[in-house]
Amino acid sequence: MAEQEASGLQVLLSTLQSSCDKDVILNILSVLTDLLSLGTGRRIHYVVSKGGSEALLQALATAAQTEPPDHGTLLPLLRLLARVGQRDRKFGLKVQKAEATDIILSLTRRHLGHHLYLTHCLWVLRVCASNVTTGTMLGINGAMELLFKVITPYSKRHVRTVRAAIGALAALLKSKSNSRRAVNRGYLGELLRLYQDWHRNDVSNNYIYIRRGLLLCLKYITNIQLGRETFLGSRGMEILFTSVQDCLSCKNLDPIITTATHILRKCYPKEHLPVVTVRSSYSFPLPGNASAEPPCEGSEGDSESEGEEEDEKDWDNEDVESKEEDCDLETDVNKLRSRPVLDRPEQELEKYEALCAELFQNFQELEFESEEKKSLEDRTESLPSAPSHFIPSATSVKHPNCRWRNQSVTEMGPDPGEQDFKVPLQSWRKKEECIWDKNDENRDIAEKARDKEFCEEGDPARSHVFALCSLLKDSAWYKKVFYLHCEASIDPSPEGRLESSDLVRNLLEKHRMDIPFHSPCFYAARAQCVKSIPGYRELAFPDFWGHQPPPYSKPVLERKHGLQRDKVLDDVRRLIQPGDVIGRTVFDLDDPSLSSPAAPSCLTFFSKFESGNLRKAIQVREFEYDLIMNADVNSSQHHQWFYFEVRDMKPAVPYRFNIINCEKLNSQFNYGMQLVMYSVREALQGRPRWTRAGQEICYYKNHYRCRSAAAGGGGVRRRFYYTLTFSIKFPHKDDVCYLAYHYPYTYSTMMSHLDILEQNRNPRKVYWRQQTLCQTLGGNACPLLTITAMPESKNRDDLEQFCSRPYVFLTARVHPGESNASWVMKGTLEFLVSSDPIAELLRKCFIFKIVPMLNPDGVINGNLRCSLSGDDLNRQWLTPSSQLHPTIYHAKGLLYYLSSIGRAPLVFCDYHGHSQKKNVFLYGCSIKETLWQAGCMVDTAVVTEDVGYRTLPKILDKVAPAFVMNSCSFLVEKSRASTARVVVWKEMGVLRSYTMESTYCSCSHGLYRGLQLGTQELEEMGSKFCLGLLILHLKSLPCSKELMAQAALLLDLEEEITDRAQRRYSNSSLESDDEPPCAEEIDYDTACSSDGEEEFLELDQEIQECLSCVEAETEDEGVTTGQTCSSRALRGLYISSQPAPNSTALPLGSSALGLCRGFESSPV
């Protein structure tokens, strides 16, 4: 009965192992051959799962014992072993268990004189060697020596056998011990000579697979240090480089070019960066005995789904970049639910009451508003007035199509309904309240005085005026106007500075551009108060002059075929042909004296301004430069952000820039992302904007490396760097241009923006309070904003409604290099203080607490990730230090205070940027989804969870064009336990605690699909986030009938506008499934791809090609194959009658039919 229930496949395999009848064995092999040839790799996996490999190996052992060998059985058996074994991950172990390695080697030796049989043996040898342990055993037993007898000397006879032998040799060389044995016996030089012979003689390119197979042997043998050294000593770089040049003109030779390029990149002699030390050029003395650089962990932003650093455990094999398994999920339910005790004394929370004055204000001063306003106007007559700006509504940034936007805000002009909003500035610099330093008030007064001095008509007593890094034709005029400190050193008279100030003022008057929410005077005044480590004396022109988004969105850059290999070959050419390499340092932040003076053919670089980052520039060739970024302050790592000035260029000439010390494993630069450029001449001609720029952009691993302390290991780990290369044609001769990783947004930009927002708000409707959360390590103020609606009146009900509004807590820019987060925050702030009816309604629903920049020092000093302490502040939320991490310490303290008085935020959101993923999306926290993803059993009766954390992302997926729900994740990882979203979720009990990630590149879905996001799209995301909060309020909280009626009218109108543009682009809806989302697959090619499935397909093709010649060659050798079974014979086998009693033929009937059923139920 059991035999009848067994599947037909199992009967076949069992019979194959036990039968000694040649006809039965041939029939079974024919059935298996036909069945496996009809399906895909899945069908082979099904055979493996039923014990197919073991059965075939047992049959091989039986057949090999026959004297003389029965080749009619051996040939189909070896072919099946090759096809099945290559897809069986445990095939090598099964070969060892069956003690078949000696059998395979013996068969190979026995058939050295018969190339058809030898080819079949070599296929199986190749599959066995794919297991490192089995391959090592084969190497010890002389397999490599045997293979070298087959492939040498060069000959075009029996090329099919040579090809199989080279494939087997490449598989053997994946074992390091075999590679060392090959090097020690001189095989590497033999392989190079053999490759040269095949390359020279294969004029018609008929033997590409043989040439590539030899390159694969070199690729694996150079995975070890000894192999690379021997390769270099054998002139391998020159040989491969020369051969690749011969192949570039033929696209069919791409497999050869790609493999050779990979070997060249890998064997390029490793060097340290051409800097004195990898530590930052800037250092900052820390308070107390704090360490200057504690171990720096990953970040919330980019590290939610990516490793912060390359984990190359096998340093002899740099080609293997091992990826840690996804075992980071927190599976301890108690830890997921834990509510740790306060990290500070409870009485210390009382001081945060001063930051929540809105809860205790009686608004009696409203009666005296007109008198107070008049008094303030009298006091601020001499202060600079910010330009009045139209604050756009949510619908004014709609995009009618994917390419061109509506006319700009400036072109539209002010809204007549906004006239009553244009009230005088009540205080140029509002008296900031700071509860941590009693001297803050005096400091503010002093700063106000300096602000006033800057914009007054020329005060000879002022200490200094910032210079501008800018452009003018006359170099003398250029220096006189834009490098005033140099002029002062030559002629320190006050009149000289006054004259320069007049010239700057004339420039502003002549080229005046009314950029919304920007004032050059306000920016310069704020920049004067900034405290930086280098002591900046210059302003970057784009930050001073302002940025206006272009009227179009730029599509992602299409990548040219073979671009990466071309760039790698250019790098190799420096080593092979160094004659044209200049190697001159033209800019050095560490030692300015080493910088060469500007030559006629040399660009001039500069980066010592706010948020600037460029450490060194080296001229490689006339139009090519290697650039090195500066590490974060008090750190030796975190290289990604760059922002620098370049001038003295020639027009329409492609300049190549190579940033050679990038650290990220992957980058969106490989997926069509471009950097941004700002031209001063374009700005003065009326186009003041950052634009996407750069061609021939790619990102790949280079030959530079450094040593740094291993994380917790006590030893050292070698960190490899990556190159970002791009070419730019500058639009004008002798222009001054700025290049940056992403749209810069400086601390001074933020502070001046807050000043203008405060002036342009309607004080009768908008409650605005700007306070100082704390002072940073560098002595800069960290602003805290409170925004809500003013109470309707002073009566008790209105005041109670005002105080009872739920809180929303927003933060941004904890990572300085994520400037896109600040642009999103800019959109949020402008929308919140606008006259848009939805904004007015939103202010009535919530009290917003906003920290627009959590890491001012990092932003000011051009950091990517850390603060001045060298710490990633988004990894300090568990136990922040009041001395080292003041902004995190006090932001957490404020959240603790709100929670202690029963006013924990309804929503907490930390704005970030993501460098390796597309779209805008949220990271949230969920116990159940984390446990499900980790494969844990979840008792729904014990583990209960409010799924409200998914409501806001679903809403944003519907209303925000750049937002994609499917990119969101709600998993809680152990390594993220100290990030803001996880700590606020666990310790403050905020269900809707999020990190909002914005791409640096583009969107993969919706209205902006295939378009690079600009500042206008990012600002739009900030305003749409506000709209999402209003809808969340209506869905989640009780509302008055009046509020619901207003909301229904406004949201219907809003939906009608948005749906018209988005309906056909929508990728999901509010009713989408609550299953955990699928992660986006990112397929970068930063270090050349591995072979994988390609090897399977190659061997399958090789076997198939050989099959067409098997019968003819077998007949020529006079071998009788006995009964053969084609697909026609197979059909006959199924419909034949039951066998006679005592027959040894294959049993049919229900068992045979079960064979079909077994395969029908298997995946095909």
Side-chain angles (χ1 to χ4, degrees):
M1 192 67 175
E3 182 180 347
Q4 292 179 354
E5 293 177 354
S7 72
L9 177 61
Q10 290 172 318
V11 172
L12 280 176
L13 296 177
S14 175
T15 305
L16 179 64
Q17 287 178 289
S18 59
S19 177
C20 296
D21 188 286
K22 177 181 176 180
D23 292 341
V24 172
I25 293 175
L26 282 174
N27 281 333
I28 294 175
L29 293 178
S30 298
V31 170
L32 292 175
T33 299
D34 284 352
L35 288 173
L36 296 183
S37 66
L38 295 175
T40 62
R42 288 188 176 184
R43 187 167 282 190
I44 296 178
H45 287 301
Y46 184 75
V47 172
V48 171
S49 69
K50 298 301 181 181
S53 300
E54 292 87 340
L56 291 172
L57 286 170
Q58 181 61 43
L60 177 66
T62 303
Q65 295 173 2
T66 306
E67 289 293 343
D70 184 0
H71 295 100
T73 304
L74 275 175
L75 290 181
L77 182 58
L78 290 170
R79 285 196 296 270
L80 279 171
L81 270 171
R83 292 200 65 196
V84 173
Q86 68 174 332
R87 286 181 170 83
D88 185 351
R89 295 181 179 179
K90 297 182 179 180
F91 187 73
L93 298 176
K94 294 174 182 178
V95 169
Q96 296 177 50
K97 186 176 180 181
E99 299 180 349
T101 53
D102 291 338
I103 296 174
I104 296 169
L105 272 178
S106 176
L107 287 172
T108 306
R109 289 192 179 97
R110 184 182 299 183
H111 294 108
L112 282 175
H114 194 294
H115 294 282
L116 177 62
Y117 304 152
L118 178 59
T119 302
H120 284 68
C121 294
L122 291 173
W123 290 337
V124 179
L125 184 65
R126 170 181 175 175
V127 174
C128 293
S130 61
N131 176 274
V132 175
T133 305
T134 309
T136 302
M137 187 181 302
L138 289 168
I140 293 172
N141 292 332
M144 282 194 299
E145 291 80 358
L146 186 64
L147 293 174
F148 265 91
K149 289 181 181 179
V150 179
I151 66 176
T152 57
Y154 163 77
S155 172
K156 287 188 177 180
R157 293 185 61 199
H158 309 299
V159 291
R160 186 174 290 111
T161 303
V162 172
R163 175 181 174 183
I166 292 174
L169 180 60
L172 282 170
L173 289 173
K174 291 181 180 180
S175 162
K176 289 186 178 181
S177 62
N178 285 341
S179 292
R180 292 189 186 96
R181 188 176 295 108
V183 174
N184 291 332
R185 298 188 181 184
Y187 290 158
L188 192 148
E190 285 290 328
L191 286 171
L192 281 172
R193 285 189 290 272
L194 195 60
Y195 173 75
Q196 284 181 289
D197 290 337
W198 280 101
H199 175 74
R200 281 195 300 264
N201 293 287
D202 186 20
V203 179
S204 302
N205 296 325
N206 294 326
Y207 305 108
I208 295 176
Y209 280 111
I210 290 180
R211 292 158 63 185
R212 183 173 181 269
L214 290 169
L215 288 174
L216 287 176
C217 292
L218 292 171
K219 172 184 173 181
Y220 298 133
I221 208 171
T222 53
N223 279 339
I224 62 173
Q225 182 68 27
L226 179 61
R228 292 192 291 272
E229 292 173 357
T230 307
F231 179 83
L232 291 172
S234 303
R235 298 184 65 252
M237 297 289 285
E238 292 86 346
I239 292 171
L240 290 196
F241 181 79
T242 303
S243 69
V244 167
Q245 301 305 310
D246 298 337
C247 299
L248 290 175
S249 59
C250 182
K251 191 171 182 180
N252 292 335
L253 299 180
D254 276 357
I256 292 177
I257 300 171
T258 300
T259 308
T261 304
H262 182 84
I263 298 170
L264 290 170
R265 179 198 61 78
K266 180 170 55 176
C267 294
Y268 197 113
K270 302 298 179 285
E271 301 177 29
H272 295 296
L273 283 174
V275 291
V276 178
T277 173
V278 294
R279 289 189 63 81
S280 174
S281 299
Y282 302 144
S283 61
F284 183 80
L286 301 180
N289 297 321
S291 171
E293 186 181 8
C296 214
E297 301 180 53
S299 68
E300 172 79 348
D302 287 331
S303 295
E304 284 286 357
S305 62
E306 63 189 86
E308 273 299 280
E309 291 193 17
E310 183 175 5
D311 185 14
E312 298 190 65
K313 298 179 181 178
D314 184 358
W315 299 115
D316 283 336
N317 183 0
E318 71 165 80
D319 181 49
V320 179
E321 295 176 353
S322 56
K323 298 181 180 179
E324 297 181 0
E325 295 182 0
D326 188 12
C327 57
D328 190 33
L329 297 177
E330 180 59 75
T331 56
D332 188 334
V333 178
N334 293 325
K335 289 184 179 180
L336 289 171
R337 286 175 161 176
S338 65
R339 296 288 184 270
V341 296
L342 287 174
D343 61 359
R344 66 198 76 194
E346 190 171 355
Q347 58 271 22
E348 189 178 315
L349 300 180
E350 297 175 0
K351 62 183 179 183
Y352 294 97
E353 180 179 317
L355 297 179
C356 298
E358 65 279 358
L359 297 179
F360 311 101
Q361 194 165 348
N362 58 19
F363 293 96
Q364 295 301 318
E365 67 273 14
L366 288 176
E367 295 180 1
F368 312 102
E369 181 181 354
S370 58
E371 296 179 11
E372 181 184 2
K373 187 193 307 180
K374 183 177 180 180
S375 174
L376 285 170
E377 289 176 4
D378 294 339
R379 281 186 289 160
T380 58
E381 283 180 354
S382 61
L383 297 178
S385 64
S388 298
H389 296 297
F390 162 57
I391 301 181
S393 68
T395 58
S396 67
V397 291
K398 298 293 179 186
H399 295 238
N401 55 58
C402 293
R403 302 291 168 181
W404 295 92
R405 303 191 183 116
N406 288 330
Q407 66 180 148
S408 65
V409 173
T410 304
E411 293 170 335
M412 282 191 237
D415 190 329
E418 293 289 317
Q419 298 301 325
D420 61 329
F421 278 61
K422 298 175 183 175
V423 296
L425 178 64
Q426 294 188 1
S427 171
W428 156 220
R429 183 183 179 96
K430 185 169 181 174
K431 180 179 177 182
E432 295 177 339
E433 302 175 24
C434 181
I435 57 178
W436 325 120
D437 191 342
K438 295 182 179 179
N439 297 321
D440 281 350
E441 185 173 348
N442 296 332
R443 183 184 298 109
D444 290 345
I445 294 173
E447 289 175 350
K448 281 194 290 185
R450 287 198 298 271
D451 296 345
K452 180 178 177 182
E453 289 167 3
F454 178 86
C455 292
E456 285 180 346
E457 287 232 359
D459 182 358
R462 69 172 178 265
S463 59
H464 72 278
V465 176
F466 265 70
L468 283 172
C469 307
S470 184
L471 159 82
L472 288 167
K473 288 184 179 179
D474 187 350
S475 60
W477 200 94
Y478 173 89
K479 293 180 180 178
K480 189 173 184 181
V481 176
F482 298 104
Y483 290 94
L484 306 181
H485 63 289
C486 298
E487 292 293 319
S489 63
I490 299 172
D491 179 14
S493 65
E495 290 75 18
R497 294 195 299 273
L498 179 59
E499 179 185 3
S500 297
S501 298
D502 288 339
L503 291 173
V504 172
R505 187 176 297 106
N506 292 336
L507 183 67
L508 290 171
E509 292 175 356
K510 181 178 179 180
H511 300 279
R512 181 71 178 182
M513 283 293 296
D514 188 16
I515 297 176
F517 304 102
H518 182 77
S519 165
C521 280
F522 275 32
Y523 182 88
R526 281 294 186 180
Q528 256 192 317
C529 307
V530 169
K531 300 176 178 64
S532 64
I533 294 176
Y536 297 133
R537 298 291 302 275
E538 289 82 24
L539 300 180
F541 187 88
D543 304 321
F544 170 79
W545 200 255
H547 160 74
Q548 194 169 47
Y552 57 86
S553 295
K554 197 166 183 179
V556 295
L557 184 67
E558 291 188 9
R559 181 159 172 166
K560 175 186 170 185
H561 173 74
L563 176 63
Q564 175 175 302
R565 74 181 184 208
D566 292 344
K567 299 302 181 183
V568 173
L569 291 174
D570 283 345
D571 293 345
V572 174
R573 185 177 287 108
R574 295 192 202 179
L575 180 70
I576 307 299
Q577 303 168 357
D580 63 340
V581 176
I582 299 173
R584 175 175 55 193
T585 299
V586 296
F587 175 76
D588 195 335
L589 202 61
D590 299 314
D591 188 358
S593 64
L594 297 178
S595 301
S596 301
S601 60
C602 179
L603 296 176
T604 302
F605 295 86
F606 189 74
S607 66
K608 292 189 69 173
F609 47 78
E610 191 174 341
S611 293
N613 190 315
L614 177 66
R615 181 173 188 170
K616 193 171 185 177
I618 302 170
Q619 186 177 19
V620 179
R621 300 183 179 93
E622 183 179 2
F623 300 112
E624 182 178 358
Y625 295 83
D626 280 352
L627 308 179
I628 299 175
M629 296 176 288
N630 194 23
D632 284 3
V633 176
N634 281 343
S635 171
S636 61
Q637 54 185 335
H638 305 302
H639 308 92
Q640 178 175 294
W641 172 258
F642 59 87
Y643 180 21
F644 58 88
E645 173 198 291
V646 59
R647 51 190 171 93
D648 298 328
M649 67 282 293
K650 296 179 180 179
V653 173
Y655 286 85
R656 178 181 172 184
F657 298 95
N658 310 305
I659 299 178
I660 61 175
N661 64 331
C662 302
E663 290 180 326
K664 296 283 186 180
L665 296 179
N666 305 312
S667 174
Q668 282 288 318
F669 282 116
N670 277 335
Y671 271 157
M673 174 179 163
Q674 295 174 282
L675 63 152
V676 293
M677 181 178 73
Y678 191 106
S679 165
V680 173
R681 190 177 292 277
E682 287 288 309
L684 296 180
Q685 292 176 358
R687 295 176 293 275
R689 60 181 60 115
W690 288 98
T691 58
R692 295 280 186 174
Q695 299 293 322
E696 298 187 352
I697 301 175
C698 69
Y699 187 93
Y700 57 91
K701 185 191 290 185
N702 59 36
H703 61 281
Y704 291 106
R705 68 183 181 190
C706 75
R707 290 180 176 269
S708 62
V716 295
R717 63 179 301 178
R718 280 175 278 184
R719 192 170 72 242
F720 288 85
Y721 289 115
Y722 291 77
T723 291
L724 165 64
T725 180
F726 55 89
S727 297
I728 284 185
K729 290 183 180 180
F730 294 103
H732 303 287
K733 180 181 179 181
D734 294 330
D735 195 356
V736 173
C737 293
Y738 292 80
L739 303 179
Y741 179 83
H742 195 66
Y743 303 95
Y745 195 95
T746 66
Y747 174 75
S748 298
T749 299
M750 177 199 68
M751 295 300 288
S752 60
H753 182 240
L754 297 183
D755 294 330
I756 295 173
L757 286 180
E758 181 180 7
Q759 172 169 331
N760 283 270
R761 84 190 198 283
N762 185 343
R764 298 190 187 95
K765 295 183 178 180
V766 180
Y767 179 95
W768 168 287
R769 181 180 291 272
Q770 181 175 336
Q771 301 167 278
T772 298
L773 177 67
C774 62
Q775 295 291 320
T776 66
L777 274 177
N780 296 289
C782 179
L784 169 70
L785 305 177
T786 305
I787 301 175
T788 188
M790 294 293 285
E792 296 288 339
S793 67
K794 294 183 296 181
N795 66 52
R796 182 176 178 180
D797 291 342
D798 288 335
L799 293 179
E800 283 184 359
Q801 191 277 336
F802 176 90
C803 293
S804 62
R805 295 170 186 166
Y807 276 93
V808 170
F809 205 108
L810 305 178
T811 61
R813 209 65 185 280
V814 70
H815 294 144
E818 295 170 4
S819 59
N820 42 3
S822 284
W823 289 102
V824 177
M825 178 59 75
K826 181 176 183 286
T828 294
L829 292 174
E830 290 176 6
F831 181 79
L832 284 177
V833 300
S834 72
S835 63
D836 187 289
I838 293 178
E840 293 182 1
L841 194 60
L842 184 65
R843 291 194 296 266
K844 293 178 182 179
C845 294
F846 294 109
I847 299 175
F848 288 87
K849 287 288 184 185
I850 302 175
V851 184
M853 192 171 284
L854 275 170
N855 193 350
D857 291 339
V859 173
I860 291 167
N861 292 286
N863 283 8
L864 167 69
R865 185 73 61 197
C866 302
S867 66
L868 296 189
S869 66
D871 294 322
D872 181 345
L873 292 183
N874 202 36
R875 289 309 180 88
Q876 310 304 322
W877 279 80
L878 268 181
T879 55
S881 165
S882 59
Q883 285 189 311
L884 298 178
H885 324 116
T887 60
I888 304 301
Y889 182 84
H890 293 300
K892 185 178 181 182
L894 178 57
L895 284 161
Y896 266 141
Y897 172 74
L898 291 173
S899 182
S900 68
I901 62 174
R903 303 297 302 275
L906 177 71
V907 174
F908 171 86
C909 191
D910 189 17
Y911 290 13
H912 281 254
H914 205 295
S915 68
Q916 295 189 32
K917 294 186 72 175
K918 290 178 167 39
N919 309 313
V920 181
F921 53 93
L922 290 179
Y923 289 126
C925 301
S926 166
I927 297 178
K928 284 188 175 181
E929 291 196 29
T930 302
L931 296 176
W932 285 334
Q933 185 68 26
C936 299
M937 297 296 294
V938 180
D939 187 348
T940 55
V942 177
V943 181
T944 58
E945 185 174 48
D946 185 348
V947 295
Y949 63 87
R950 277 184 163 264
T951 307
L952 182 59
K954 288 182 177 182
I955 294 170
L956 293 175
D957 187 62
K958 184 174 178 62
V959 303
F963 192 90
V964 174
M965 177 69 182
N966 286 340
S967 295
C968 297
S969 174
F970 305 95
L971 307 179
V972 181
E973 297 104 333
K974 298 173 186 176
S975 60
R976 314 290 178 248
S978 54
T979 58
R981 69 170 172 98
V982 177
V983 170
V984 173
W985 173 68
K986 288 173 64 174
E987 298 191 15
M988 287 77 176
V990 177
L991 175 68
R992 300 174 182 88
S993 179
Y994 304 108
T995 296
M996 182 160 67
E997 300 281 0
S998 299
T999 181
Y1000 289 91
C1001 183
S1002 62
C1003 292
S1004 60
H1005 297 77
L1007 185 63
Y1008 301 140
R1009 181 178 183 178
L1011 300 176
Q1012 298 184 76
L1013 295 191
T1015 57
Q1016 187 159 325
E1017 288 80 18
L1018 293 170
E1019 291 181 47
E1020 179 193 54
M1021 184 63 231
S1023 67
K1024 294 301 182 183
F1025 184 79
C1026 295
L1027 174 61
L1029 290 174
L1030 178 60
I1031 300 174
L1032 174 69
H1033 184 280
L1034 300 175
K1035 283 177 169 287
S1036 307
L1037 300 175
C1039 304
S1040 65
K1041 292 182 179 179
E1042 180 184 358
L1043 182 64
M1044 289 296 292
Q1046 284 182 277
L1049 178 62
L1050 291 174
L1051 293 179
D1052 282 346
L1053 179 61
E1054 177 77 11
E1055 184 175 358
E1056 180 182 346
I1057 296 171
T1058 57
D1059 280 0
R1060 191 177 303 140
Q1062 297 185 56
R1063 188 176 296 116
R1064 58 197 174 101
Y1065 297 102
S1066 178
N1067 51 286
S1068 59
S1069 66
L1070 292 180
E1071 291 76 28
S1072 61
D1073 195 2
D1074 276 348
E1075 289 300 315
C1078 297
E1080 178 190 7
E1081 292 185 5
I1082 302 180
D1083 181 21
Y1084 294 93
D1085 182 21
T1086 56
C1088 294
S1089 60
S1090 59
D1091 304 294
E1093 182 69 19
E1094 183 182 344
E1095 292 187 0
F1096 297 161
L1097 298 176
E1098 181 181 330
L1099 182 55
D1100 286 343
Q1101 181 182 354
E1102 190 175 340
I1103 295 172
Q1104 194 62 36
E1105 289 174 357
C1106 186
L1107 278 176
S1108 61
C1109 304
V1110 167
E1111 291 186 4
E1113 293 191 22
T1114 304
E1115 290 175 3
D1116 291 341
E1117 296 294 333
V1119 177
T1120 58
T1121 59
Q1123 182 182 353
T1124 60
C1125 184
S1126 62
S1127 58
R1128 181 174 57 189
L1130 175 63
R1131 290 194 297 271
L1133 180 65
Y1134 286 144
I1135 61 176
S1136 62
S1137 61
Q1138 292 287 341
N1142 302 322
S1143 173
T1144 58
L1146 177 66
L1148 300 175
S1150 61
S1151 297
L1153 295 176
L1155 172 65
C1156 296
R1157 290 195 297 270
F1159 271 98
E1160 287 170 359
S1161 61
S1162 69
V1164 178

